[in-house]
Amino acid sequence: MGQVLIGGLALVLVASAAAVAQGVQIDHQPVACAVAGKFPRLAARFSPADAVAVARVFFQGNTGEWYSVAMKAEGADFAGVLPKPKKDLKAFRYYIEVTDKSLATARTAEFTTNVIASAGECRGKMMAAALGSASILLQGPAGVAGIPAGFASSGVVAGSAAGSTAVGAA
């Protein structure tokens, strides 16, 4: 009986380790287009949602530095709002990262989003929701510009260096 108990206990520990290793799963449809001069809203669903500690959208404009905005729960989705891309920005890259309450992280692949002048230019591809106004708390790397190259400063109410706490608001 002791062997069965030990064997059963070992099985439970292996199953628990596998569940922890999986972390939170991300369901996100990559966005192909975002309208210049509008705030792109990027959304994802996380499973299990109640395990999410922090979720962020990381993005970069015309330079190699990655900036981020926090995602917040909005019903079954989480959403993050980026600063407005300028008309001269042809595209930006982004990915979504989530950290669960046990500090395991998961992230999507990196996606490239084309910046377009009007919604009609997206031609049936997945387009980012376009908000006319937003208040954004931006997090960026220490020692670089507060606003990423290619994005407008309007709507950005605060910026901070990586490692500090910032929460995005829409």
Side-chain angles (χ1 to χ4, degrees):
M1 189 163 197
Q3 288 181 331
V4 172
L5 179 60
I6 291 171
L9 181 57
L11 180 61
V12 169
L13 290 176
V14 169
S16 295
V20 170
Q22 289 179 3
V24 175
Q25 301 299 308
I26 303 170
D27 180 15
H28 171 70
Q29 296 300 315
V31 173
C33 312
V35 177
K38 300 285 186 181
F39 295 95
R41 179 186 172 275
L42 303 176
R45 286 191 179 194
F46 303 117
S47 177
D50 61 351
V52 173
V54 177
R56 302 192 73 76
V57 177
F58 286 83
F59 67 101
Q60 63 183 179
N62 285 331
T63 61
E65 292 86 14
W66 289 94
Y67 291 76
S68 69
V69 294
M71 298 180 82
K72 67 177 187 174
E74 294 181 358
D77 292 339
F78 281 71
V81 179
L82 305 185
K84 293 188 230 181
K86 294 179 179 179
K87 290 180 182 181
D88 62 347
L89 182 66
K90 300 298 179 211
F92 63 87
R93 292 179 21 187
Y94 78 92
Y95 65 90
I96 294 172
E97 183 177 273
V98 61
T99 302
D100 69 19
K101 293 176 182 173
S102 69
L103 302 181
T105 60
R107 63 170 273 189
T108 64
E110 291 177 14
F111 304 109
T112 299
T113 300
N114 294 317
V115 177
I116 56 177
S118 68
E121 293 179 34
C122 200
R123 298 192 180 111
K125 297 177 186 169
M126 177 66 95
M127 188 169 70
L131 304 178
S133 65
S135 295
I136 298 170
L137 296 175
L138 185 63
Q139 186 175 22
V144 299
I147 306 295
F151 290 86
S153 62
S154 62
V156 176
V157 295
S160 64
S164 62
T165 302
V167 179

